[in-house]
Amino acid sequence: MAKIICVLYDDPVDGYPKTYARDTIPVIKSYPDGQTTPTPSAIDFKPGELLGSVSGALGLKKWAKDNGHQLIVTSDKEGPNSTLDKELHDAEVVISQPFWPAYMTAERIAKAKNLKLIVTAGIGSDHTDLEAANKHKITVAEVTYCNSISVAEHVVMMILSLVRNYIPSHDWVRKGGWNIADCVERAYDLEGLHVGTVAAGRIGTAVLRRLKPFDVKLHYTDRHRLPADVEKELGLTFHENREDLFKVCDVITLNTPLHPETEHMINDKTLATMKRGTYLVNTARGKLCDRDAIVRALESGQLAGYAGDVWYPQPAPKDHPWRTMPHEGMTPHTSGTTLSAQARYAAGTREILENFFAGKPIRDEYLIVQGGHLAGVGAHSYSVAK
Ligand code: NDP
């Protein structure tokens, strides 16, 4: 029997849903690169249910009970008196979602003497100190691809919302107004603009594909170049480094993992190299940007808009300046936790747990750290400080 701590966001303020807006979600068996969606032995939830909040428990309650594991589900994760800190000392597995991350610091990892596995129910394991996980030979795994398309859709939505000034226009409707000039004095078409992604991995490439029909000029930069036929099909301009991309784009979207090479890549200096009136969309990680530099750039007009759903820390404090800065289109960290995405990462979490407890290998594409090293997909996409 193992002790498993599962840190999830709170239920809706009106209570756990009794009904849903829709009755089904599409069945998706594989992702665009052919990787199969998760294949646990079974699931104990109906796809489309709310699984990422405490009562949803990632659909793991029955599985844990049937297998004799102690499953502690909590949203209480900050500070020495939190449930997470109180329960950690003898836990074998910690699960959390990037939307409501259990920050697995070196200090917490050192305290958790029995810890063997940290699962990110989602994508992006930067809330775990990967060096500390390496040092203690803890396996870190995430459910690669589970919500990449969900995020790509959010990016496209945010780009269109900013460029077309959707949120302020909607606000006028709610206020009872018909203030067309107020709505359109900042509204443009996306057509013809130069749109670039920093990183063309799963999300970045999906964004490029989705934007192609808008007749925009597409740009990207990445550590590895995409195949020539993909560049040709999408009409992509490749830039050797992000600084070159920043200079030419009207809209920039960030789609890299957060690691030492990418932290604060957007700062006063890099913002100054962009065109005046650039739109920036960041659904990757809050710390890719210098928080206050973003506010300054929006206030000065260097940025025409900033949208995203990733912050630091999470949850963001009430006085976080990104809540109130001008021309923002922020959401809480929701892009990767639609009900559709939850069904996939809940199943993927169960697949990882089943394999782990059966002593079977975890899929390479899910592994970030194993046996003291970056492993699997982690070895490709992450770096640790030297
Ligand atoms: P992928 O691993 O498919 O893509 C990441 C890409 O970033 C890879 O192509 C990688 O390059 C590239 N990259 C890494 N470091 C650099 C660098 N220094 N400069 C340029 N490119 C770099 O991941 P996903 O597309 O699935 O996800 C990307 C990130 O988005 C995640 O790490 C996570 O932080 C975030 N995310 C956010 C979600 C949300 O809900 N908002 C949900 C899911 C993910 P290469 O492979 O060529 O080495």
mmCIF file of all heavy atoms in Angstrom, residues 99 122-126 142 144-145 147-148 151 198-204 221-225 242 255-259 261-262 283-285 309-310 333-337 377 380-382, ligand 1:
data_model
loop_
_atom_site.group_PDB
_atom_site.id
_atom_site.type_symbol
_atom_site.label_atom_id
_atom_site.label_comp_id
_atom_site.label_asym_id
_atom_site.label_seq_id
_atom_site.Cartn_x
_atom_site.Cartn_y
_atom_site.Cartn_z
ATOM 1 N N PHE A 99 -1.848 23.840 -13.291
ATOM 2 C CA PHE A 99 -2.832 24.912 -13.043
ATOM 3 C C PHE A 99 -2.870 25.278 -11.570
ATOM 4 O O PHE A 99 -3.211 26.385 -11.188
ATOM 5 C CB PHE A 99 -4.223 24.459 -13.507
ATOM 6 C CG PHE A 99 -4.134 23.580 -14.719
ATOM 7 C CD1 PHE A 99 -4.327 22.196 -14.646
ATOM 8 C CD2 PHE A 99 -3.749 24.135 -15.929
ATOM 9 C CE1 PHE A 99 -4.177 21.394 -15.755
ATOM 10 C CE2 PHE A 99 -3.592 23.331 -17.054
ATOM 11 C CZ PHE A 99 -3.799 21.955 -16.961
ATOM 12 N N GLY A 122 -0.806 16.717 -16.549
ATOM 13 C CA GLY A 122 -0.791 17.799 -17.525
ATOM 14 C C GLY A 122 0.590 17.820 -18.143
ATOM 15 O O GLY A 122 1.264 16.778 -18.188
ATOM 16 N N ILE A 123 1.014 18.998 -18.588
ATOM 17 C CA ILE A 123 2.337 19.126 -19.219
ATOM 18 C C ILE A 123 3.070 20.307 -18.592
ATOM 19 O O ILE A 123 2.474 21.363 -18.387
ATOM 20 C CB ILE A 123 2.210 19.373 -20.736
ATOM 21 C CG1 ILE A 123 1.388 18.267 -21.405
ATOM 22 C CG2 ILE A 123 3.580 19.470 -21.380
ATOM 23 C CD1 ILE A 123 1.109 18.526 -22.880
ATOM 24 N N GLY A 124 4.372 20.130 -18.359
ATOM 25 C CA GLY A 124 5.195 21.208 -17.796
ATOM 26 C C GLY A 124 5.503 20.888 -16.346
ATOM 27 O O GLY A 124 4.678 21.093 -15.467
ATOM 28 N N SER A 125 6.723 20.360 -16.123
ATOM 29 C CA SER A 125 7.092 19.915 -14.771
ATOM 30 C C SER A 125 8.047 20.884 -14.094
ATOM 31 O O SER A 125 8.792 20.503 -13.201
ATOM 32 C CB SER A 125 7.706 18.511 -14.848
ATOM 33 O OG SER A 125 6.755 17.610 -15.349
ATOM 34 N N ASP A 126 7.999 22.159 -14.505
ATOM 35 C CA ASP A 126 8.914 23.143 -13.936
ATOM 36 C C ASP A 126 8.578 23.481 -12.495
ATOM 37 O O ASP A 126 9.379 24.115 -11.816
ATOM 38 C CB ASP A 126 8.914 24.413 -14.801
ATOM 39 C CG ASP A 126 7.506 24.848 -15.117
ATOM 40 O OD1 ASP A 126 6.919 24.342 -16.095
ATOM 41 O OD2 ASP A 126 6.974 25.666 -14.372
ATOM 42 N N GLU A 142 5.122 13.307 -16.875
ATOM 43 C CA GLU A 142 3.971 14.140 -17.213
ATOM 44 C C GLU A 142 3.209 13.501 -18.368
ATOM 45 O O GLU A 142 3.726 12.587 -19.026
ATOM 46 C CB GLU A 142 4.410 15.578 -17.527
ATOM 47 C CG GLU A 142 5.364 15.729 -18.701
ATOM 48 C CD GLU A 142 5.855 17.175 -18.893
ATOM 49 O OE1 GLU A 142 6.250 17.832 -17.903
ATOM 50 O OE2 GLU A 142 5.849 17.626 -20.052
ATOM 51 N N THR A 144 2.428 13.819 -21.585
ATOM 52 C CA THR A 144 2.784 14.516 -22.814
ATOM 53 C C THR A 144 1.669 14.440 -23.859
ATOM 54 O O THR A 144 1.116 13.363 -24.098
ATOM 55 C CB THR A 144 4.079 13.887 -23.374
ATOM 56 O OG1 THR A 144 5.058 13.985 -22.354
ATOM 57 C CG2 THR A 144 4.556 14.615 -24.616
ATOM 58 N N TYR A 145 1.385 15.565 -24.439
ATOM 59 C CA TYR A 145 0.422 15.771 -25.528
ATOM 60 C C TYR A 145 -1.032 15.865 -25.060
ATOM 61 O O TYR A 145 -1.918 16.213 -25.834
ATOM 62 C CB TYR A 145 0.520 14.695 -26.617
ATOM 63 C CG TYR A 145 0.681 15.269 -28.022
ATOM 64 C CD1 TYR A 145 1.566 14.702 -28.936
ATOM 65 C CD2 TYR A 145 -0.065 16.375 -28.437
ATOM 66 C CE1 TYR A 145 1.734 15.237 -30.204
ATOM 67 C CE2 TYR A 145 0.089 16.907 -29.701
ATOM 68 C CZ TYR A 145 0.977 16.338 -30.583
ATOM 69 O OH TYR A 145 1.120 16.873 -31.833
ATOM 70 N N ASN A 147 -2.840 17.902 -23.456
ATOM 71 C CA ASN A 147 -3.608 19.138 -23.612
ATOM 72 C C ASN A 147 -2.938 20.116 -24.584
ATOM 73 O O ASN A 147 -3.234 21.310 -24.568
ATOM 74 C CB ASN A 147 -3.874 19.788 -22.246
ATOM 75 C CG ASN A 147 -2.600 20.032 -21.466
ATOM 76 O OD1 ASN A 147 -1.505 19.959 -22.014
ATOM 77 N ND2 ASN A 147 -2.734 20.328 -20.185
ATOM 78 N N SER A 148 -2.047 19.626 -25.420
ATOM 79 C CA SER A 148 -1.337 20.521 -26.343
ATOM 80 C C SER A 148 -2.316 21.211 -27.297
ATOM 81 O O SER A 148 -2.194 22.410 -27.558
ATOM 82 C CB SER A 148 -0.296 19.735 -27.148
ATOM 83 O OG SER A 148 0.561 19.036 -26.284
ATOM 84 N N VAL A 151 -4.351 23.889 -25.548
ATOM 85 C CA VAL A 151 -3.622 25.147 -25.366
ATOM 86 C C VAL A 151 -3.518 25.888 -26.694
ATOM 87 O O VAL A 151 -3.717 27.105 -26.760
ATOM 88 C CB VAL A 151 -2.221 24.893 -24.773
ATOM 89 C CG1 VAL A 151 -1.454 26.201 -24.609
ATOM 90 C CG2 VAL A 151 -2.326 24.177 -23.433
ATOM 91 N N VAL A 198 7.836 31.369 -30.470
ATOM 92 C CA VAL A 198 9.114 30.954 -29.893
ATOM 93 C C VAL A 198 8.900 29.512 -29.458
ATOM 94 O O VAL A 198 8.176 29.260 -28.501
ATOM 95 C CB VAL A 198 9.520 31.838 -28.690
ATOM 96 C CG1 VAL A 198 10.870 31.381 -28.155
ATOM 97 C CG2 VAL A 198 9.569 33.296 -29.091
ATOM 98 N N ALA A 199 9.426 28.603 -30.205
ATOM 99 C CA ALA A 199 9.301 27.145 -30.072
ATOM 100 C C ALA A 199 8.174 26.608 -30.940
ATOM 101 O O ALA A 199 7.052 27.117 -30.927
ATOM 102 C CB ALA A 199 9.127 26.670 -28.646
ATOM 103 N N ALA A 200 8.523 25.594 -31.681
ATOM 104 C CA ALA A 200 7.544 24.916 -32.531
ATOM 105 C C ALA A 200 7.531 23.436 -32.157
ATOM 106 O O ALA A 200 7.845 22.565 -32.954
ATOM 107 C CB ALA A 200 7.887 25.117 -33.998
ATOM 108 N N GLY A 201 7.200 23.201 -30.888
ATOM 109 C CA GLY A 201 6.987 21.816 -30.430
ATOM 110 C C GLY A 201 5.541 21.455 -30.712
ATOM 111 O O GLY A 201 4.952 21.898 -31.711
ATOM 112 N N ARG A 202 4.959 20.682 -29.798
ATOM 113 C CA ARG A 202 3.580 20.230 -30.035
ATOM 114 C C ARG A 202 2.621 21.419 -30.098
ATOM 115 O O ARG A 202 1.824 21.527 -31.025
ATOM 116 C CB ARG A 202 3.165 19.246 -28.947
ATOM 117 C CG ARG A 202 3.963 17.969 -29.015
ATOM 118 C CD ARG A 202 3.679 17.036 -27.852
ATOM 119 N NE ARG A 202 4.603 15.940 -27.886
ATOM 120 C CZ ARG A 202 5.837 15.975 -27.388
ATOM 121 N NH1 ARG A 202 6.272 17.064 -26.765
ATOM 122 N NH2 ARG A 202 6.649 14.944 -27.491
ATOM 123 N N ILE A 203 2.721 22.300 -29.101
ATOM 124 C CA ILE A 203 1.778 23.433 -29.071
ATOM 125 C C ILE A 203 2.123 24.444 -30.166
ATOM 126 O O ILE A 203 1.258 24.858 -30.939
ATOM 127 C CB ILE A 203 1.783 24.110 -27.686
ATOM 128 C CG1 ILE A 203 1.275 23.134 -26.625
ATOM 129 C CG2 ILE A 203 0.915 25.373 -27.703
ATOM 130 C CD1 ILE A 203 1.376 23.629 -25.197
ATOM 131 N N GLY A 204 3.412 24.824 -30.225
ATOM 132 C CA GLY A 204 3.806 25.838 -31.203
ATOM 133 C C GLY A 204 3.419 25.441 -32.616
ATOM 134 O O GLY A 204 2.869 26.248 -33.382
ATOM 135 N N THR A 221 11.016 30.150 -34.242
ATOM 136 C CA THR A 221 12.393 29.845 -33.869
ATOM 137 C C THR A 221 12.334 28.639 -32.935
ATOM 138 O O THR A 221 11.331 28.428 -32.256
ATOM 139 C CB THR A 221 13.095 31.041 -33.187
ATOM 140 O OG1 THR A 221 14.450 30.692 -32.901
ATOM 141 C CG2 THR A 221 12.415 31.449 -31.890
ATOM 142 N N ASP A 222 13.351 27.823 -32.933
ATOM 143 C CA ASP A 222 13.374 26.633 -32.069
ATOM 144 C C ASP A 222 14.810 26.150 -32.024
ATOM 145 O O ASP A 222 15.631 26.553 -32.847
ATOM 146 C CB ASP A 222 12.455 25.529 -32.642
ATOM 147 C CG ASP A 222 12.078 24.491 -31.588
ATOM 148 O OD1 ASP A 222 12.982 23.792 -31.089
ATOM 149 O OD2 ASP A 222 10.890 24.379 -31.257
ATOM 150 N N ARG A 223 15.098 25.269 -31.070
ATOM 151 C CA ARG A 223 16.460 24.703 -31.025
ATOM 152 C C ARG A 223 16.682 23.725 -32.173
ATOM 153 O O ARG A 223 17.790 23.531 -32.622
ATOM 154 C CB ARG A 223 16.687 23.993 -29.685
ATOM 155 C CG ARG A 223 16.648 24.942 -28.510
ATOM 156 C CD ARG A 223 17.152 24.282 -27.271
ATOM 157 N NE ARG A 223 16.362 23.104 -26.927
ATOM 158 C CZ ARG A 223 16.321 22.576 -25.708
ATOM 159 N NH1 ARG A 223 17.033 23.106 -24.739
ATOM 160 N NH2 ARG A 223 15.600 21.520 -25.464
ATOM 161 N N HIS A 224 15.600 23.061 -32.595
ATOM 162 C CA HIS A 224 15.696 22.139 -33.730
ATOM 163 C C HIS A 224 14.753 22.623 -34.821
ATOM 164 O O HIS A 224 13.620 23.019 -34.531
ATOM 165 C CB HIS A 224 15.294 20.716 -33.320
ATOM 166 C CG HIS A 224 16.124 20.153 -32.213
ATOM 167 N ND1 HIS A 224 15.817 20.347 -30.875
ATOM 168 C CD2 HIS A 224 17.254 19.425 -32.216
ATOM 169 C CE1 HIS A 224 16.716 19.749 -30.128
ATOM 170 N NE2 HIS A 224 17.610 19.182 -30.908
ATOM 171 N N ARG A 225 15.204 22.550 -36.053
ATOM 172 C CA ARG A 225 14.388 23.028 -37.164
ATOM 173 C C ARG A 225 13.317 22.002 -37.538
ATOM 174 O O ARG A 225 13.554 20.787 -37.446
ATOM 175 C CB ARG A 225 15.311 23.291 -38.362
ATOM 176 C CG ARG A 225 14.778 24.375 -39.228
ATOM 177 C CD ARG A 225 15.824 24.979 -40.100
ATOM 178 N NE ARG A 225 15.117 25.680 -41.169
ATOM 179 C CZ ARG A 225 15.667 26.522 -41.997
ATOM 180 N NH1 ARG A 225 16.956 26.774 -41.908
ATOM 181 N NH2 ARG A 225 14.950 27.108 -42.928
ATOM 182 N N ARG A 242 15.735 33.855 -31.169
ATOM 183 C CA ARG A 242 14.469 34.538 -30.901
ATOM 184 C C ARG A 242 14.576 36.046 -31.123
ATOM 185 O O ARG A 242 13.594 36.700 -31.487
ATOM 186 C CB ARG A 242 13.940 34.193 -29.511
ATOM 187 C CG ARG A 242 14.893 34.370 -28.373
ATOM 188 C CD ARG A 242 14.346 33.683 -27.123
ATOM 189 N NE ARG A 242 15.182 33.949 -25.983
ATOM 190 C CZ ARG A 242 15.653 33.016 -25.164
ATOM 191 N NH1 ARG A 242 15.378 31.746 -25.351
ATOM 192 N NH2 ARG A 242 16.389 33.357 -24.122
ATOM 193 N N ASN A 255 5.965 29.412 -26.593
ATOM 194 C CA ASN A 255 5.574 28.005 -26.427
ATOM 195 C C ASN A 255 6.741 27.112 -26.046
ATOM 196 O O ASN A 255 6.793 25.948 -26.449
ATOM 197 C CB ASN A 255 4.885 27.524 -27.707
ATOM 198 C CG ASN A 255 3.597 28.289 -27.969
ATOM 199 O OD1 ASN A 255 2.664 28.205 -27.173
ATOM 200 N ND2 ASN A 255 3.548 29.080 -29.022
ATOM 201 N N THR A 256 7.664 27.657 -25.243
ATOM 202 C CA THR A 256 8.791 26.852 -24.748
ATOM 203 C C THR A 256 8.525 26.409 -23.321
ATOM 204 O O THR A 256 7.820 27.095 -22.580
ATOM 205 C CB THR A 256 10.103 27.661 -24.655
ATOM 206 O OG1 THR A 256 9.849 28.808 -23.843
ATOM 207 C CG2 THR A 256 10.627 28.059 -25.984
ATOM 208 N N PRO A 257 9.152 25.319 -22.901
ATOM 209 C CA PRO A 257 9.122 25.003 -21.472
ATOM 210 C C PRO A 257 9.915 26.068 -20.711
ATOM 211 O O PRO A 257 10.756 26.763 -21.291
ATOM 212 C CB PRO A 257 9.852 23.652 -21.380
ATOM 213 C CG PRO A 257 10.018 23.159 -22.768
ATOM 214 C CD PRO A 257 9.929 24.346 -23.674
ATOM 215 N N LEU A 258 9.619 26.177 -19.415
ATOM 216 C CA LEU A 258 10.409 27.053 -18.545
ATOM 217 C C LEU A 258 11.596 26.260 -18.035
ATOM 218 O O LEU A 258 11.428 25.223 -17.398
ATOM 219 C CB LEU A 258 9.552 27.520 -17.362
ATOM 220 C CG LEU A 258 10.289 28.296 -16.270
ATOM 221 C CD1 LEU A 258 10.808 29.640 -16.779
ATOM 222 C CD2 LEU A 258 9.388 28.507 -15.056
ATOM 223 N N HIS A 259 12.782 26.712 -18.348
ATOM 224 C CA HIS A 259 13.997 26.107 -17.819
ATOM 225 C C HIS A 259 15.072 27.180 -17.856
ATOM 226 O O HIS A 259 14.799 28.302 -18.301
ATOM 227 C CB HIS A 259 14.355 24.800 -18.560
ATOM 228 C CG HIS A 259 14.546 24.929 -20.035
ATOM 229 N ND1 HIS A 259 15.735 24.703 -20.643
ATOM 230 C CD2 HIS A 259 13.690 25.257 -21.029
ATOM 231 C CE1 HIS A 259 15.599 24.889 -21.955
ATOM 232 N NE2 HIS A 259 14.376 25.210 -22.208
ATOM 233 N N GLU A 261 17.369 28.165 -19.679
ATOM 234 C CA GLU A 261 17.625 28.898 -20.928
ATOM 235 C C GLU A 261 16.497 29.862 -21.312
ATOM 236 O O GLU A 261 16.692 30.740 -22.145
ATOM 237 C CB GLU A 261 17.701 27.899 -22.097
ATOM 238 C CG GLU A 261 19.031 27.234 -22.277
ATOM 239 C CD GLU A 261 18.903 26.123 -23.327
ATOM 240 O OE1 GLU A 261 18.188 26.299 -24.334
ATOM 241 O OE2 GLU A 261 19.506 25.072 -23.103
ATOM 242 N N THR A 262 15.314 29.643 -20.734
ATOM 243 C CA THR A 262 14.163 30.424 -21.215
ATOM 244 C C THR A 262 13.602 31.390 -20.162
ATOM 245 O O THR A 262 12.814 32.263 -20.507
ATOM 246 C CB THR A 262 13.027 29.481 -21.679
ATOM 247 O OG1 THR A 262 12.655 28.628 -20.584
ATOM 248 C CG2 THR A 262 13.449 28.639 -22.862
ATOM 249 N N THR A 283 1.058 31.366 -23.082
ATOM 250 C CA THR A 283 0.339 30.317 -22.340
ATOM 251 C C THR A 283 1.327 29.250 -21.888
ATOM 252 O O THR A 283 0.920 28.151 -21.509
ATOM 253 C CB THR A 283 -0.731 29.651 -23.227
ATOM 254 O OG1 THR A 283 -0.060 29.187 -24.405
ATOM 255 C CG2 THR A 283 -1.858 30.587 -23.585
ATOM 256 N N ALA A 284 2.636 29.565 -21.950
ATOM 257 C CA ALA A 284 3.631 28.533 -21.614
ATOM 258 C C ALA A 284 3.960 28.572 -20.108
ATOM 259 O O ALA A 284 3.561 27.660 -19.379
ATOM 260 C CB ALA A 284 4.872 28.690 -22.472
ATOM 261 N N ARG A 285 4.604 29.614 -19.643
ATOM 262 C CA ARG A 285 4.860 29.761 -18.210
ATOM 263 C C ARG A 285 5.067 31.239 -17.886
ATOM 264 O O ARG A 285 5.760 31.956 -18.632
ATOM 265 C CB ARG A 285 6.103 28.974 -17.764
ATOM 266 C CG ARG A 285 5.890 27.473 -17.611
ATOM 267 C CD ARG A 285 4.831 27.122 -16.560
ATOM 268 N NE ARG A 285 4.541 25.704 -16.494
ATOM 269 C CZ ARG A 285 3.500 25.093 -17.091
ATOM 270 N NH1 ARG A 285 2.637 25.790 -17.803
ATOM 271 N NH2 ARG A 285 3.305 23.798 -16.945
ATOM 272 N N ASP A 309 -2.351 32.693 -19.778
ATOM 273 C CA ASP A 309 -3.054 32.075 -18.649
ATOM 274 C C ASP A 309 -2.059 31.526 -17.634
ATOM 275 O O ASP A 309 -2.450 30.756 -16.775
ATOM 276 C CB ASP A 309 -4.001 30.972 -19.136
ATOM 277 C CG ASP A 309 -3.284 29.737 -19.644
ATOM 278 O OD1 ASP A 309 -2.161 29.871 -20.158
ATOM 279 O OD2 ASP A 309 -3.855 28.636 -19.521
ATOM 280 N N VAL A 310 -0.801 31.949 -17.777
ATOM 281 C CA VAL A 310 0.209 31.421 -16.853
ATOM 282 C C VAL A 310 0.829 32.567 -16.071
ATOM 283 O O VAL A 310 1.118 33.627 -16.616
ATOM 284 C CB VAL A 310 1.281 30.612 -17.618
ATOM 285 C CG1 VAL A 310 0.742 29.248 -17.993
ATOM 286 C CG2 VAL A 310 1.765 31.348 -18.851
ATOM 287 N N HIS A 333 -5.095 29.975 -15.056
ATOM 288 C CA HIS A 333 -4.441 28.919 -15.837
ATOM 289 C C HIS A 333 -5.476 27.854 -16.254
ATOM 290 O O HIS A 333 -5.637 26.834 -15.596
ATOM 291 C CB HIS A 333 -3.327 28.304 -14.984
ATOM 292 C CG HIS A 333 -2.362 27.478 -15.770
ATOM 293 N ND1 HIS A 333 -1.164 27.084 -15.273
ATOM 294 C CD2 HIS A 333 -2.416 26.970 -17.015
ATOM 295 C CE1 HIS A 333 -0.520 26.378 -16.171
ATOM 296 N NE2 HIS A 333 -1.271 26.284 -17.236
ATOM 297 N N THR A 334 -6.175 28.112 -17.341
ATOM 298 C CA THR A 334 -7.278 27.228 -17.736
ATOM 299 C C THR A 334 -7.096 26.559 -19.091
ATOM 300 O O THR A 334 -7.817 25.616 -19.405
ATOM 301 C CB THR A 334 -8.602 28.030 -17.843
ATOM 302 O OG1 THR A 334 -8.372 29.150 -18.704
ATOM 303 C CG2 THR A 334 -9.070 28.524 -16.482
ATOM 304 N N SER A 335 -6.144 27.044 -19.906
ATOM 305 C CA SER A 335 -6.153 26.596 -21.302
ATOM 306 C C SER A 335 -6.010 25.087 -21.436
ATOM 307 O O SER A 335 -6.596 24.479 -22.316
ATOM 308 C CB SER A 335 -5.066 27.300 -22.110
ATOM 309 O OG SER A 335 -3.787 26.958 -21.641
ATOM 310 N N GLY A 336 -5.227 24.493 -20.545
ATOM 311 C CA GLY A 336 -4.963 23.057 -20.670
ATOM 312 C C GLY A 336 -5.853 22.205 -19.786
ATOM 313 O O GLY A 336 -5.597 21.007 -19.614
ATOM 314 N N THR A 337 -6.878 22.801 -19.208
ATOM 315 C CA THR A 337 -7.712 22.004 -18.295
ATOM 316 C C THR A 337 -9.192 22.107 -18.651
ATOM 317 O O THR A 337 -10.068 22.165 -17.798
ATOM 318 C CB THR A 337 -7.400 22.301 -16.806
ATOM 319 O OG1 THR A 337 -8.164 21.444 -15.974
ATOM 320 C CG2 THR A 337 -7.612 23.749 -16.421
ATOM 321 N N VAL A 377 11.180 12.304 -22.883
ATOM 322 C CA VAL A 377 10.885 13.602 -23.491
ATOM 323 C C VAL A 377 11.599 14.728 -22.733
ATOM 324 O O VAL A 377 11.958 15.753 -23.307
ATOM 325 C CB VAL A 377 9.342 13.817 -23.561
ATOM 326 C CG1 VAL A 377 8.759 14.204 -22.218
ATOM 327 C CG2 VAL A 377 8.976 14.832 -24.601
ATOM 328 N N HIS A 380 14.917 15.760 -24.065
ATOM 329 C CA HIS A 380 14.839 16.517 -25.308
ATOM 330 C C HIS A 380 14.474 17.984 -25.051
ATOM 331 O O HIS A 380 15.078 18.892 -25.615
ATOM 332 C CB HIS A 380 13.797 15.867 -26.216
ATOM 333 C CG HIS A 380 13.707 16.491 -27.570
ATOM 334 N ND1 HIS A 380 14.541 16.124 -28.605
ATOM 335 C CD2 HIS A 380 12.914 17.466 -28.058
ATOM 336 C CE1 HIS A 380 14.253 16.849 -29.669
ATOM 337 N NE2 HIS A 380 13.266 17.677 -29.361
ATOM 338 N N SER A 381 13.482 18.202 -24.180
ATOM 339 C CA SER A 381 12.911 19.550 -24.077
ATOM 340 C C SER A 381 13.435 20.377 -22.909
ATOM 341 O O SER A 381 13.246 21.576 -22.878
ATOM 342 C CB SER A 381 11.394 19.466 -23.961
ATOM 343 O OG SER A 381 10.855 18.966 -25.151
ATOM 344 N N TYR A 382 14.028 19.746 -21.897
ATOM 345 C CA TYR A 382 14.435 20.477 -20.700
ATOM 346 C C TYR A 382 15.947 20.587 -20.604
ATOM 347 O O TYR A 382 16.689 19.831 -21.230
ATOM 348 C CB TYR A 382 13.924 19.776 -19.427
ATOM 349 C CG TYR A 382 12.451 19.951 -19.184
ATOM 350 C CD1 TYR A 382 11.518 19.167 -19.859
ATOM 351 C CD2 TYR A 382 11.978 20.906 -18.300
ATOM 352 C CE1 TYR A 382 10.155 19.334 -19.645
ATOM 353 C CE2 TYR A 382 10.617 21.078 -18.078
ATOM 354 C CZ TYR A 382 9.719 20.288 -18.747
ATOM 355 O OH TYR A 382 8.370 20.455 -18.538
HETATM 356 P P1 NDP B 1 7.116 20.382 -26.540
HETATM 357 O O1 NDP B 1 8.153 19.696 -25.744
HETATM 358 O O2 NDP B 1 6.399 19.650 -27.617
HETATM 359 O O3 NDP B 1 7.711 21.673 -27.204
HETATM 360 C C1 NDP B 1 8.592 22.506 -26.552
HETATM 361 C C2 NDP B 1 9.476 23.088 -27.607
HETATM 362 O O4 NDP B 1 10.291 24.084 -26.991
HETATM 363 C C3 NDP B 1 10.414 22.071 -28.245
HETATM 364 O O5 NDP B 1 10.280 22.174 -29.642
HETATM 365 C C4 NDP B 1 11.781 22.537 -27.763
HETATM 366 O O6 NDP B 1 12.777 22.437 -28.705
HETATM 367 C C5 NDP B 1 11.545 24.001 -27.602
HETATM 368 N N1 NDP B 1 12.540 24.663 -26.785
HETATM 369 C C6 NDP B 1 13.020 24.278 -25.587
HETATM 370 N N2 NDP B 1 13.915 25.165 -25.165
HETATM 371 C C7 NDP B 1 14.010 26.115 -26.110
HETATM 372 C C8 NDP B 1 14.800 27.279 -26.250
HETATM 373 N N3 NDP B 1 15.664 27.630 -25.312
HETATM 374 N N4 NDP B 1 14.632 28.034 -27.371
HETATM 375 C C9 NDP B 1 13.770 27.662 -28.329
HETATM 376 N N5 NDP B 1 13.001 26.555 -28.254
HETATM 377 C C10 NDP B 1 13.128 25.800 -27.156
HETATM 378 O O7 NDP B 1 6.071 20.964 -25.471
HETATM 379 P P2 NDP B 1 4.592 21.465 -25.697
HETATM 380 O O8 NDP B 1 4.521 22.217 -26.971
HETATM 381 O O9 NDP B 1 3.618 20.382 -25.456
HETATM 382 O O10 NDP B 1 4.469 22.465 -24.451
HETATM 383 C C11 NDP B 1 5.312 23.607 -24.348
HETATM 384 C C12 NDP B 1 5.131 24.231 -22.980
HETATM 385 O O11 NDP B 1 3.829 24.784 -22.877
HETATM 386 C C13 NDP B 1 5.227 23.252 -21.807
HETATM 387 O O12 NDP B 1 6.548 23.005 -21.411
HETATM 388 C C14 NDP B 1 4.457 23.969 -20.744
HETATM 389 O O13 NDP B 1 5.313 24.840 -20.035
HETATM 390 C C15 NDP B 1 3.448 24.795 -21.525
HETATM 391 N N6 NDP B 1 2.100 24.238 -21.393
HETATM 392 C C16 NDP B 1 1.117 25.045 -20.909
HETATM 393 C C17 NDP B 1 -0.143 24.554 -20.715
HETATM 394 C C18 NDP B 1 -1.243 25.421 -20.225
HETATM 395 O O14 NDP B 1 -2.240 24.898 -19.742
HETATM 396 N N7 NDP B 1 -1.146 26.731 -20.337
HETATM 397 C C19 NDP B 1 -0.463 23.147 -20.971
HETATM 398 C C20 NDP B 1 0.613 22.420 -21.612
HETATM 399 C C21 NDP B 1 1.848 22.943 -21.759
HETATM 400 P P3 NDP B 1 13.401 21.139 -29.305
HETATM 401 O O15 NDP B 1 12.424 20.053 -29.142
HETATM 402 O O16 NDP B 1 13.586 21.533 -30.725
HETATM 403 O O17 NDP B 1 14.638 20.951 -28.544
#
